[in-house]
Amino acid sequence: MSAPKNVYIDEQTGSDSATGLTAETALASALRALELYGESSPVPELLVRKQGDAAFAPIAKAALKKAQKKYDADKAKAAKEQAKKAADAGKAKAKEADEAKRLEDAKKIVLTMETSLPAAKSIKIQAAAEHRDARIAVSAWVHRLRVQGKDMMFAVLRDGTGYLQCVFTGRLCHTYEALTLTTESTIKVYGTLKKVPEGKAAPGGHELIVDHWEVLGAAPGGDDAFTTKLNADSNPDVLYDNRHLMIRGETASAVLKMRALVLRAFRAFYVAENVTEVNPPLMVQTQVEGGSTLFEFNYYGEQAYLTQSSQLYLETVLPVVGDAYTISSSFRAEKSHTRRHLSEFTHVEAEMAFITFDDLLDHLERMFDFVLDFVLADPVGKTLLAELNPDFVRPATPFRRMKYAEAIQWLNDNKINKEEDGTPFVYGDDIPEAPERKMTDTLGVPIFLTHFPKEIKSFYMKRDPKDDRATESVDVLIPGVGEIVGGSMRMAGYDELMKAYEHEGMDPSPYSWYTDQRKYGTSEHGGYGLGLERFLAWLLNRYTVRECCLYPRFVGRCKP
C-alpha cells in the first residue's frame, strides 16, 4: 500500500482511533499520525485544523518537532522493551531447558535403604513422643513444605493424629521426587526422631531426621495444585465446593476432632446416668415441630418425611429400656440463612420417665457440667480448646432460671421492641432470635428460659399445673449463640393428648402408636433436644454452625 500524501489532524473533533486519511476521518494528535505513518516513505504531510471550520494547514515546525521527539522517545522505549522481552524469553527458555535437564538428571538418582540401620518401627504421629532417639517410619500427607537451598528441605507431615516436622538433607533432596514434591502428596519417611535444638520450635518439640523416604501418591502442581485451588482469598462457595479439601486445614481438623470428643463426652454422660442409647428411624410419617419445616418424599407411594426429631420414638422405649437417648440426624426445611441454622443437624435427644420439671432442669445442668469436665480433662481436648477458643470461660452452675413472662418484662424494661412495627412485646408473642440473643448476650450467662405459653409451643408439651396458660418447657440460651437446647415435660394423660390433637387440627390416627403410651401405663416424663453444632459453635467460638459439621447442608447447599 502506497504512503498517503496528506494526513489530517483535527485537534477539536478528531479521533486517534480514526485513520486520518480524509478530513472526515481526522486524527486528534500529531503523535498518533507519526505512530501510524511516521515510517512511511515518503513521510506524508501533516495537515492540522486548530478549531471550528478553519481550513487544514501544514503543522507548525515547533509542533512537528515536539511530536517527533515524543515519537522517537516512545519508539526507542518500545525497542528497548522488546529487546528486554526477547532477552527474558531467551533466559526463560534457557532456564526451562536447565530445569528439564536437572529433572532428567534427578531421575537417575535412586535412593536405597541403608541396610546397616536399625529396623524402623511404623507409628502414628500422635505416638511419636514415645519414640524419641529411635528409628521410626511414618506414612502421611505433606502439610507444609519448605526448600532451603539445594541440600536441605523441611516438610511438616500430617496423618490425622498429629503433625511431624521432617528434615531432609543431601541426596534425599536431589531426587526427581524431591524436586517435584508438592503439598498434599502422601509419602513414607524413615529416620530418627530427635528433640528440636534449643531455641527452635516444631510440633511436639521434636523432628524426624530422615534417612530414607518414598512417594506413595504424588499430588498435582501448577494450576491444579492444592494451594492454587484453595487459599485465604477464596470465596465461600469455592470453599464449600471444595470442602473435601478445605477440611485438611488445621482449624477444620481441630474442629472435627473436638466434635468427636464432645460426642464421646455426651455418650459418657448418658452411660454415667444409666440412660440407654437407641436408634429411631429417620424416615417417618408424623410431625413433631410443625408441618412447615418438613422435608417430604414419596415412600413407595406413601407420603413420608425426614424426621424433625426422634422424641416421639424415644418416648415409646421408656417402658422398654428406661431412660433413653439418641444422637441422630434431624432435618428442618427452614429457608433460613442465619449463621445458626442447618437443614440437617446432629440432634442429641433424651427422654426420662417418672421425673418432675425440676428434675429435668437439674439433669441438664449435670449434663453441661459433665461434658465440660470431660473435654477439659482430655489432654488433646484441653489443647485444642485453648487453640480454638483461648478466651473460653466455663459457665458456673446452677444456670440462671427465668420464666418467659419475666423475659417479656425484661425486653419491655430495656426498650427492646418488635422489629416489624416497633411495639412492645406482650405475653403470647414468640420472641424472635435477635431480641432473644440481645437479652442473653446482655445478661452474659447461660439461661434456662422456662414456662412458654402453650400457643407457641408444640402440642405434646405438658401444661403448667400452676398456670394453664403456660407449659412446663425450657430453652437453654447461651451467650453468643442463643438457643442450643429445647425441652419440656410431656403430656401424660390420654384425654389431654387427644384434646391437644383436636386443638391443633391434627388427625390422631397416624399417632396411634404414640398415643398408646398414655393408654398402656402412662408416666410423668420429659426430655429435650440439643443441637450439637450450636453447642460446638459456642464451645469453640465458631462464627457459624456450618463450621461445626463435616459437610454442612443448608438452603442452596447439598454437595459435596
Side-chain angles (χ1 to χ4, degrees), residues 10 16 19 27-28 89 107 119 132 135 172 177 213 219 314 334-335 351 360-361 386 454 508-509 515 545:
D10 188 325
D16 278 347
T19 63
L27 297 167
K107 291 179 181 178
R132 283 188 181 176
R135 189 164 185 264
L172 300 176
E177 290 77 14
W213 72 286
L314 287 175
E334 292 179 273
K335 293 184 178 179
E351 292 291 321
L360 177 62
L361 301 185
K454 59 188 178 185
S509 55
T515 311
V545 292

Side-chain angles (χ1 to χ4, degrees), residues 16 76 99 108 114 118 136 199 209 250 286 314 395 465 490 557:
D16 278 347
E99 181 64 16
K108 300 172 186 176
E114 177 57 62
I136 59 172
I209 309 304
E250 292 176 27
T286 52
L314 287 175
R490 319 307 192 187
R557 173 63 56 178

Side-chain angles (χ1 to χ4, degrees), residues 113-119 135 211:
M113 183 87 73
E114 177 57 62
T115 55
S116 63
L117 293 172
R135 189 164 185 264
D211 58 54

Side-chain angles (χ1 to χ4, degrees), residues 53-73:
D53 296 329
F56 285 92
I59 188 170
K61 288 183 179 180
L64 178 59
K65 183 177 180 181
K66 182 179 179 181
Q68 186 69 49
K69 184 177 181 181
K70 180 71 168 68
Y71 171 66
D72 289 343

Side-chain angles (χ1 to χ4, degrees), residues 170-220:
R171 278 172 55 86
L172 300 176
C173 306
H174 301 161
T175 65
Y176 178 81
E177 290 77 14
L179 298 180
T180 59
L181 187 62
T182 56
T183 55
E184 296 308 318
S185 296
T186 45
I187 64 175
K188 186 171 185 177
V189 291
Y190 302 79
T192 303
L193 192 67
K194 292 290 186 181
K195 184 179 179 180
V196 291
E198 196 71 33
K200 302 291 184 180
H206 45 236
E207 59 188 7
L208 187 70
I209 309 304
V210 179
D211 58 54
H212 183 73
W213 72 286
E214 58 192 271
V215 174
L216 304 178

